[in-house]
Amino acid sequence: MPQPRETAVYTHGHHESVLRSHTWRTAANSAGYLLGSLKPHMRILDIGCGPGTITADLAALVPDGHVTGVDRAPEILDRARSTAVGRNLTNIDFAVADVHALDHPDDTFCVVHAHQVLQHVGDPVRALREMRRVTKPNGFVAVRDSDYGAMTWYPASAGLDDWLDLYRRVARANGGEPDAGRRLKAWALQAGFTDITATSSAWTFSTPEERAWWGGLWADRTVESAYAGRATGGGHATAEELRAVSAAWRNWAAQPDGWFSVLHGEILCRKEA
């Protein structure tokens, strides 16, 4: 059996349509399951920080501590630094890193956090072991990932059915697992954790403004982002098929009874002393 790859291609890239979603994320709407465990003095590692909006929120919540945001893509870190500067946060820094081989000693951080990361890595169990390694005894590893197979919407749309099928095929061809949310607890057990709290939560888009935003960013992402190039370059879809999927997103967004739910799996793992 072939060994799993340690790294995978990031399916989305950092096109504006992708960052439109990433910069909307906050600690409140994306890390609520973790917030009750935070203390003002904590040192936090935020893996896959992207443009840094969640990272900045975490830094504001630990004013006597420190947050380090890391990402594999150097170009996105300038955006993250600007986010921190814009909020006058001084207890935060950013660096390039690979979750499979973190450049930190054992037992360094009180919390290691990753949002929408494990679905994009080649070996999520190894990534969790590495996250566990750099966490202090009695500290937490906190992970949240969406589960594409569990996403659901109304009204029914053959075009969105095509989108979901295509996205899952492209993501898996890139070495990732788009249905990561349901697997988080299993991966954590394989990584050696025994104290695991597994929960779930959802984003829901239903108002006219929410539908326009969510449908619009996916319509644009489908034809303009790195994902579009990977879909056509990998032989998964033609440009015409991508345009049809993009149109389906805009059609869904225009429906007054439109509703879309994104389910996320969450794990809060305490490292044993």
Side-chain angles (χ1 to χ4, degrees), residues 50-215:
T53 51
I54 297 175
T55 324
D57 282 352
L58 294 175
L61 291 167
V62 292
D64 302 322
H66 189 88
V67 178
T68 296
V70 297
D71 203 284
R72 280 184 60 88
E75 65 274 11
I76 198 60
L77 293 179
D78 285 341
R79 181 74 174 263
R81 293 184 182 100
S82 295
T83 300
V85 169
R87 294 184 56 177
N88 297 314
L89 294 165
T90 58
N91 63 331
I92 190 169
D93 67 282
F94 297 94
V96 177
D98 179 357
V99 67
H100 299 93
L102 297 169
D103 188 23
H104 298 283
D106 295 357
D107 305 337
T108 298
F109 297 96
C110 306
V111 175
V112 178
H113 169 262
H115 185 262
Q116 313 289 22
V117 172
L118 293 191
Q119 64 185 279
H120 297 296
V121 306
D123 191 342
V125 174
R126 176 169 176 172
L128 281 164
R129 289 185 182 128
E130 187 68 350
M131 294 166 72
R132 183 176 184 272
R133 179 186 68 78
V134 301
T135 301
K136 294 179 178 180
N138 291 315
F140 296 98
V141 170
V143 176
R144 185 177 192 252
D145 268 275
S146 58
D147 192 300
Y148 278 78
M151 294 184 189
T152 191
W153 57 84
Y154 186 88
S157 167
L160 292 193
D161 290 341
D162 291 342
W163 159 76
L164 180 57
D165 174 69
L166 174 62
Y167 180 82
R168 292 166 89 192
R169 286 189 282 116
V170 172
R172 287 179 174 136
N174 286 340
E177 175 44 70
D179 299 348
R182 70 189 69 185
R183 292 170 163 83
L184 294 183
K185 182 179 179 181
W187 288 341
L189 288 167
Q190 292 174 54
F193 288 102
T194 58
D195 187 347
I196 305 167
T197 301
T199 56
S200 63
S201 61
W203 294 332
T204 303
F205 307 101
S206 180
T207 68
E209 296 77 15
E210 290 166 347
R211 296 195 315 272
W213 180 77
W214 184 247

